[in-house]
Amino acid sequence: MPPSSPNFSSSVKLKYVKLGYQYLVNHILTLTLIPIMAGVLIEVLRMGPEEILNLWKSLNFDLVQILCCSFLIVFVTTVYFMSKPRTIFLVDYACFKPPMTCRVPFATFMEHSRLILKDKPKSVEFQMRILERSGLGEETCLPPAIHYIPPTPTMEAARGEAELVIFSAMNSLFEKTGLKPKDIDILIVNCSLFSPTPSLSAMVINKYKLRSNIKSFNLSGMGCSAGLISVDLARDLLQVHPNSNAVIVSTEIITPNYYQGNERAMLLPNCLFRMGGAAILLSNRTSERRRAKYRLVHVVRTHKGADDKAYRCVFEEEDKEGNVGISLQKDLMAIAGEALKSNITTIGPLVLPASEQLLFLLTLIGRKIFNPKWKPYIPDFKQAFEHFCIHAGGRAVIDELQKNLQLSAEHVEASRMTLHRFGNTSSSSLWYEMSYIESKGRMRRGDRVWQIAFGSGFKCNSAVWKCNRTIKTPSDGPWADCIDRYPVYIPEVVKL
Amino acid sequence: MELLVLLYALSTLYFLLMVWKWVGAKRDQECYILDYECYKPTDDRMLGTKFCGEIITRTKNLGLLECRFLLRAIVSAGLGEQTYAPRIMFSGREDNPTLLDGISEMEEFFEDCIANLLSRSGISPSEIDVLVVNVAMLSSVPSLSARIINQYKMRDDIKVFNLTAMGCSASLISVDIVKNLFKSYKNLFALVVTSESLSPNWYSGNDRSMILTNCLFRSGGSAILLTNKRAMSNRAMFRLKCLVRTHHGARDESYGCCMQKEDEQGRVGINLGKTLPKAATRALADNLRQISPKILPMRELVRFMVVNLARKMNGSSSEKTTGAPKTKVNFKTGVDHFCVHTGGKAVIDGIGTSLNLSEYDVEPARMTLHRFGNTSASSIWYVLGYMEAKKRLKKGDKVFMVSFGAGFKCNSSLWEVMRDMGDGNVWKDCIDRYPVKTSDNPFMEKYGWINQEMDLDPSTFKLVPDYI
């Protein structure tokens, strides 16, 4: 006898039970307040207006007392509001749209690979297999210097790429927000693998003639999660400096880091990393409250560097021939999962609704006291967030996170499509994903977005944003000309 | 009525509580230096006159003129015989540095300096809440800050920042980050690690504006432990009073005066342009203009304003504008000690004239340049160590730190000394020999003749071979 029907009805019943439980626990305050208010109202109505007036007269207030009391109330309320932390607004952001001339379709990539690695057919084979399963599309871009055969990674070319990416993104940001260069108070630039002297932040200050008392910082080496580290730093600085604007530039300069050897673990980044960048404007000015797109709610950083395995899993080193490249270990996914778990344990209590936290607590108590064999309860993060931006590190990362957090295909669509259209653009990929969600018209006022990024070291950083106003589908931006083609179906293996 | 009194009492108590919390919060936002440690590399890395000569002769790309230029630079640099070089110089591989050379140079520094600092101050690595690392010329994956976290097994919720490419003024930028974090969070320990990576950055070409950096920079580094815990204030050494950063990147000559680029043969080096001194003076003037109102006492500011006004009125009333010296602010009224970045003899002289400093004031900087060379961002901490070792620092004294960086930046800060200090620290075994006269230095003795050599005949020009 097929057991499907009873199971189906019981699962439906379970769903309603769960919904009812969530509603009960999340709104418990309202639910207890209503009977009390009702009781007070009935009592008042019963007493009648005469008795109420008598009660009021018996309190015997005089003018001085009333003034003192009201003054105290006003003062206490003001002090309370002043001691709250400042709200950080994300006014707007701009992503770099690479020119079509820098496009690297699979055919180009494989042809270059065969020409450069002509003595090592096994490595060419390896790169082809990676590309087939990578989840990248045919429109990802590499900087001009890498299109040469062999690539010409000079410092001149690297600076050229930096100028192209950063200045385009900044120009776009200035246009979108109407920001004047002289109004920038804080500038943070993060680029992991290219740090010329003077720094990229000095390059931005020079190009746009920013003020001489600007607070500038140049972070590097912090991997694909550096964008969120910059947001964390900007938030801490904006708490201390009132009425300020902070501009964050997140990018990764590919030119000097193209691996020219043939060690397999190091060829992997060549296949995945692509050109990209983003410029973000954060502010704590109350005048921005109306037009800001998002409000920053939380930033949580987790660093697993103390564990040796985590520390070694993304490592820059030289191969036997002296070529410098980044080697990715095989246990990367497991370590990412561990780091994510640590991050979730910190962020969970901050964002999950009371119902999920209670369930988690009960299961925890149950496991400790009653039976250790109970399965650990994985909180349902879909209750806490409407949108998820998972760093497009690679197909495996997105699959792993989708499994761990029990997300549906629609939740990870932004990440998968960004990986397909732009490749792994390192720290700026989160902003391409946000732009995707906006371009699809899915961002409504009050929606909560969770950005998660991993980085070398091993770090897992996450940021929570709340949408401030319903965002109209933007007419410009990196997705403007192709959003109608998305989402595309990405097969497991693209035969090359 | 009793109810009303109770209500009033509660409100007043709440109000007093909020005021007390606010005052307490302000006191918790102070930035104290608990301890600091400067790095002393092992003695086998000392660079004497003999070895400098060897390096110059073995550098294949140097022609005659470049040799002369280098020797002149070394002779007048003001460095002594005990400065330290990276290990790669001693194995002769400076033309082909590997990534590992750069990293192992840094790891040697981390293992020594940070361990000493933490054990001496009794703080365990897992108590560190903030870590800021600034090493300008090396950026690796994972970052150097991740290496420190791995080596010392620090906590996973640590706030870590890795700054690069911010030049010789980067340690004050790191302190700026820490100062801002201390205002938002309570009870933190912060560790600032500053150094410079020399191994991968030896310039192996022969462009004259780029080989200068080879002569000046030496190995060094320092680690500083900061806190904003009120309970630690009696153990603290210094308290930060103010910090001002000036960035002149908007001017093209300032931005382009110190730039890392490739020469005609494609070799990477740092080009020091001719506009460097002017950019430095301008940045310094701007910075001083911003920080003087914050550090000088009121009477000095008033005196300066009055004198300037009088001079202007005199100057406008009389027709001729004589070359009268401009009125200078007397920084000694607000500052007792000056930590000047040891960028080179010219830099120290320049700052000395700008601030009207005596020989006694710039002595720590000159002696640091002599003993340790230009250790880039960590140099001001060595200068501070000299003052401490010479027992110049007494409670209540004010110490002014100023440093420059590529871009062009000038950062300065004022620290208040919290207690009398006299620890020998990194100067322990040589402080008794100082001060020395830098005009008679061993390089001058050995190679001073180069200054007299006007025309160089390749056939007769030989470096005196007595060092073989």
Side-chain angles (χ1 to χ4, degrees):
Chain A
M1 196 159 66
S4 57
S5 307
N7 272 353
F8 175 66
S9 69
S10 73
S11 76
V12 166
K13 282 200 196 106
L14 203 63
K15 193 176 99 168
Y16 281 120
V17 166
K18 198 153 186 226
L19 271 174
Y21 160 76
Q22 279 168 358
Y23 194 71
L24 180 70
V25 174
N26 289 340
H27 301 277
I28 194 136
L29 275 176
T30 343
L31 291 175
T32 44
L33 212 59
I34 288 179
I36 295 177
M37 290 302 292
V40 167
L41 196 66
I42 291 173
E43 189 65 31
V44 161
L45 287 173
R46 200 168 57 80
M47 283 204 312
E50 301 284 320
E51 284 201 34
I52 295 175
L53 271 169
N54 283 343
L55 204 64
W56 181 254
K57 286 215 181 79
S58 75
L59 279 174
N60 240 6
F61 282 136
D62 64 16
L63 192 64
V64 175
Q65 284 175 341
I66 292 178
L67 273 176
C68 277
C69 208
S70 40
F71 171 74
L72 221 56
I73 290 173
V74 166
F75 187 83
V76 162
T77 337
T78 325
V79 170
Y80 167 71
F81 276 113
M82 272 173 56
S83 63
K84 268 179 28 170
R86 288 182 227 270
T87 330
I88 310 294
F89 297 108
L90 192 160
V91 178
D92 208 342
Y93 61 95
C95 297
F96 169 65
K97 178 130 186 257
M100 272 302 171
T101 48
C102 294
R103 204 164 67 98
V104 177
F106 291 160
T108 312
F109 189 88
M110 287 320 301
E111 184 177 329
H112 281 224
S113 182
R114 272 184 217 108
L115 287 170
I116 296 168
L117 294 171
K118 55 185 181 298
D119 308 323
K120 311 269 185 309
K122 281 227 163 78
S123 300
V124 176
E125 177 77 29
F126 175 74
Q127 284 199 310
M128 189 161 88
R129 274 190 284 125
I130 296 288
L131 211 55
E132 283 173 354
R133 289 166 180 74
S134 61
L136 264 68
E138 304 263 16
E139 291 177 275
T140 60
C141 296
L142 280 176
I146 308 295
H147 286 262
Y148 284 73
I149 303 170
T152 55
T154 58
M155 178 159 264
E156 234 9 81
R159 271 197 212 265
E161 183 194 342
E163 288 177 1
L164 174 66
V165 174
I166 296 180
F167 294 163
S168 305
M170 292 283 293
N171 287 338
S172 185
L173 182 71
F174 284 137
E175 216 176 313
K176 274 182 162 183
T177 55
L179 177 72
K180 294 201 185 40
K182 294 276 178 235
D183 288 337
I184 300 179
D185 303 289
I186 299 167
L187 174 70
I188 305 173
V189 177
N190 71 271
C191 170
S192 245
L193 289 164
F194 178 56
S195 55
T197 299
S199 58
L200 293 174
S201 56
M203 185 175 86
V204 173
I205 293 177
N206 175 254
K207 165 81 174 174
Y208 295 103
K209 312 285 178 242
L210 303 181
R211 290 197 327 251
S212 67
N213 62 352
I214 193 170
K215 290 202 174 295
S216 66
F217 300 95
N218 189 66
L219 303 174
S220 93
M222 306 199 86
C224 305
S225 62
L228 294 181
I229 297 179
S230 308
V231 170
D232 184 36
L233 180 61
R235 177 188 65 159
D236 288 332
L237 291 170
L238 286 173
Q239 295 291 352
V240 177
H241 297 97
N243 251 354
S244 306
N245 284 324
V247 171
I248 300 174
V249 179
S250 287
T251 181
E252 189 57 69
I253 304 298
I254 314 267
T255 307
N257 304 307
Y258 205 71
Y259 175 59
Q260 312 227 40
N262 64 344
E263 184 72 38
R264 285 211 212 155
M266 300 195 197
L267 279 172
L268 198 55
N270 278 1
C271 306
L272 298 176
F273 282 93
R274 296 290 182 263
M275 195 162 72
I280 302 110
L281 175 61
L282 296 176
S283 177
N284 60 2
R285 295 187 180 179
T286 39
S287 54
E288 303 286 6
R289 192 183 285 266
R290 288 210 170 277
R291 68 174 179 142
K293 279 186 168 173
Y294 302 93
R295 219 167 28 92
L296 180 61
V297 185
H298 299 290
V299 178
V300 174
R301 294 170 61 174
T302 314
H303 202 299
K304 284 292 193 198
D307 174 30
D308 283 329
K309 271 198 344 213
Y311 171 67
R312 295 223 148 249
C313 79
V314 178
F315 215 75
E316 185 186 22
E317 55 196 2
E318 276 157 346
D319 65 7
K320 290 188 275 290
E321 278 132 38
N323 294 309
V324 176
I326 303 177
S327 78
L328 304 173
Q329 300 299 325
K330 290 194 177 35
D331 54 359
L332 181 63
M333 283 305 116
I335 291 178
E338 279 300 314
L340 180 69
K341 229 178 265 174
S342 292
N343 195 292
I344 286 180
T345 32
T346 319
I347 206 176
L350 296 171
V351 295
L352 288 169
S355 52
E356 292 297 314
Q357 297 201 41
L358 197 60
L359 267 179
F360 183 71
L361 189 66
L362 289 176
T363 352
L364 195 68
I365 294 174
R367 286 183 72 205
K368 285 256 154 54
I369 299 179
F370 298 123
N371 186 358
K373 285 222 192 71
W374 279 9
K375 269 178 39 195
Y377 178 69
I378 301 172
D380 188 6
F381 278 91
K382 302 195 278 292
Q383 297 287 326
F385 302 107
E386 278 75 35
H387 306 288
F388 295 80
C389 287
I390 301 170
H391 164 55
R395 198 196 202 129
V397 172
I398 304 177
D399 289 341
E400 176 79 14
L401 255 73
Q402 186 181 6
K403 192 171 60 117
N404 274 348
L405 298 173
Q406 296 165 345
L407 302 174
S408 71
E410 194 183 322
H411 286 126
V412 295
E413 183 185 313
S415 312
R416 287 200 200 279
M417 297 308 124
T418 301
L419 183 63
H420 184 267
R421 171 63 178 86
F422 293 101
N424 178 355
T425 57
S426 187
S427 40
S428 48
S429 64
L430 298 169
W431 302 106
Y432 285 102
E433 292 169 23
M434 286 271 253
S435 185
Y436 179 86
I437 301 175
E438 289 177 10
S439 303
K440 278 287 184 194
R442 292 180 191 161
M443 199 62 86
R444 300 241 128 67
R445 182 193 161 101
D447 279 357
R448 290 154 301 176
V449 187
W450 189 18
Q451 290 185 323
I452 314 172
F454 298 103
S456 64
F458 197 80
K459 311 176 189 58
C460 174
N461 299 335
S462 51
V464 178
W465 303 88
K466 190 159 182 167
C467 184
N468 199 37
R469 56 178 173 88
T470 302
I471 296 174
K472 290 200 295 275
T473 315
S475 53
D476 56 2
W479 296 96
D481 58 351
C482 57
I483 192 67
D484 299 319
R485 283 187 273 127
Y486 283 91
V488 294
Y489 167 67
I490 306 173
E492 274 296 319
V493 177
V494 175
K495 232 24 202 127
L496 287 181
Chain B
M1 270 321 278
E2 282 78 16
L3 190 66
L4 220 59
V5 171
L6 194 64
L7 206 65
Y8 279 157
L10 274 174
S11 310
T12 331
L13 277 175
Y14 183 65
F15 160 62
L16 287 173
L17 186 76
M18 295 300 283
V19 168
W20 183 61
K21 259 180 70 176
W22 180 75
V23 168
K26 278 265 178 289
R27 283 174 62 190
D28 279 329
Q29 290 173 0
E30 298 283 0
C31 180
Y32 297 110
I33 292 186
L34 259 190
D35 203 350
Y36 69 98
E37 165 97 6
C38 295
Y39 177 48
K40 189 148 88 119
T42 46
D43 285 344
D44 57 345
R45 287 168 60 173
M46 280 199 195
L47 207 56
T49 45
K50 218 160 117 155
F51 196 66
C52 273
E54 266 178 53
I55 295 176
I56 293 178
T57 38
R58 80 170 178 224
T59 311
K60 296 180 275 297
N61 286 321
L62 289 181
L64 210 52
L65 290 172
E66 285 83 33
C67 272
R68 179 169 77 167
F69 177 74
L70 267 184
L71 285 177
R72 281 213 174 122
I74 296 177
V75 158
S76 52
L79 269 68
E81 284 207 278
Q82 291 186 309
T83 59
Y84 300 97
R87 279 190 201 284
I88 198 176
M89 301 301 297
F90 298 92
S91 49
R93 287 187 300 116
E94 67 266 11
D95 284 339
N96 295 307
T98 61
L99 182 64
L100 218 52
D101 289 319
I103 304 229
S104 55
E105 183 190 350
M106 288 293 102
E107 286 189 336
E108 206 181 319
F109 158 59
F110 294 153
E111 273 164 22
D112 184 275
C113 204
I114 300 179
N116 285 347
L117 178 68
L118 291 177
S119 63
R120 197 170 63 217
S121 52
I123 311 287
S124 88
S126 55
E127 288 180 63
I128 305 283
D129 303 287
V130 178
L131 173 67
V132 185
V133 177
N134 66 273
V135 171
M137 311 271 289
L138 180 67
S139 126
S140 67
V141 170
S143 57
L144 292 170
S145 50
R147 275 168 217 273
I148 297 178
I149 293 177
N150 177 256
Q151 197 170 354
Y152 290 94
K153 310 286 178 241
M154 297 186 176
R155 289 198 325 256
D156 65 357
D157 61 347
I158 191 170
K159 266 189 190 296
V160 55
F161 300 99
N162 189 64
L163 303 172
T164 59
M166 304 203 88
C168 305
S169 62
S171 64
L172 286 179
I173 297 179
S174 311
V175 172
D176 188 31
I177 291 186
V178 170
K179 175 185 91 152
N180 283 308
L181 286 175
F182 279 174
K183 292 212 174 112
S184 313
Y185 302 93
K186 290 212 255 272
N187 284 342
L188 296 179
F189 279 114
L191 181 63
V192 170
V193 179
T194 165
S195 181
E196 189 56 84
S197 155
L198 299 178
S199 304
N201 298 307
W202 176 261
Y203 174 61
S204 48
N206 58 2
D207 186 334
R208 256 192 261 177
S209 46
M210 296 196 194
I211 47 180
L212 209 51
T213 51
N214 283 355
C215 312
L216 297 174
F217 286 96
R218 296 287 183 267
S219 289
S222 78
I224 305 113
L225 188 61
L226 300 115
T227 182
N228 64 346
K229 289 195 189 194
R230 223 185 310 161
M232 292 268 165
S233 60
N234 52 354
R235 273 177 56 184
M237 292 176 109
F238 302 94
R239 186 166 69 99
L240 179 64
K241 297 218 72 174
C242 69
L243 194 145
V244 169
R245 294 172 57 181
T246 309
H247 201 302
H248 272 202
R251 289 170 201 270
D252 286 329
E253 339 58 90
S254 298
Y255 175 68
C257 68
C258 173
M259 187 160 291
Q260 188 178 29
K261 51 155 83 135
E262 281 146 341
D263 65 5
E264 279 131 24
Q265 280 87 36
R267 297 196 187 91
V268 178
I270 299 192
N271 186 316
L272 299 176
K274 296 207 174 10
T275 54
L276 186 71
K278 200 154 138 223
T281 336
R282 210 181 273 147
L284 179 66
D286 204 6
N287 189 294
L288 291 177
R289 211 176 304 137
Q290 284 188 38
I291 201 173
S292 359
K294 297 190 185 163
I295 60 177
L296 295 176
M298 192 49 105
R299 53 184 161 83
E300 175 61 28
L301 292 171
V302 169
R303 179 199 76 91
F304 178 69
M305 277 198 313
V306 165
V307 169
N308 226 11
L309 209 65
R311 201 173 284 276
K312 271 213 184 70
M313 287 184 8
N314 267 350
S316 63
S317 62
S318 67
E319 284 305 316
K320 47 185 167 54
T321 45
T322 51
K326 288 190 15 209
T327 38
K328 284 203 173 149
V329 185
N330 186 3
F331 275 89
K332 303 235 198 113
T333 52
V335 178
D336 301 299
H337 309 283
F338 293 83
C339 272
V340 174
H341 167 55
T342 57
K345 199 142 137 333
V347 172
I348 302 178
D349 289 339
I351 299 185
T353 358
S354 304
L355 297 180
N356 229 0
L357 301 180
S358 67
E359 266 312 301
Y360 179 78
D361 293 321
V362 292
E363 179 192 311
R366 284 203 209 284
M367 297 306 119
T368 303
L369 184 63
H370 185 266
R371 174 66 177 83
F372 291 101
N374 178 358
T375 57
S376 181
S378 48
S379 58
I380 43 179
W381 303 100
Y382 284 95
V383 178
L384 192 65
Y386 181 90
M387 293 177 187
E388 187 189 343
K390 277 283 185 196
K391 302 201 191 331
R392 289 189 185 190
L393 299 172
K394 301 268 173 282
K395 177 166 171 165
D397 282 354
K398 304 275 193 307
V399 182
F400 180 67
M401 282 187 177
V402 61
S403 61
F404 299 105
F408 200 82
K409 312 174 185 62
C410 176
N411 300 333
S412 59
S413 66
L414 188 74
W415 300 86
E416 181 188 337
V417 180
M418 300 285 288
R419 53 182 170 87
D420 291 354
M421 281 181 256
D423 183 27
N425 59 71
V426 73
W427 291 89
K428 220 178 357 221
D429 43 356
C430 57
I431 193 68
D432 299 318
R433 282 188 278 123
Y434 285 91
V436 297
K437 277 164 59 86
T438 50
S439 52
D440 45 52
N441 71 62
F443 288 98
M444 178 65 95
E445 283 163 31
K446 207 173 202 69
Y447 301 119
W449 50 268
I450 196 77
N451 283 329
Q452 274 79 45
E453 283 283 332
M454 280 302 114
D455 21 87
L456 292 171
D457 186 358
S459 55
T460 59
F461 180 75
K462 281 200 272 292
L463 277 182
V464 181
D466 67 353
Y467 59 80
I468 292 173

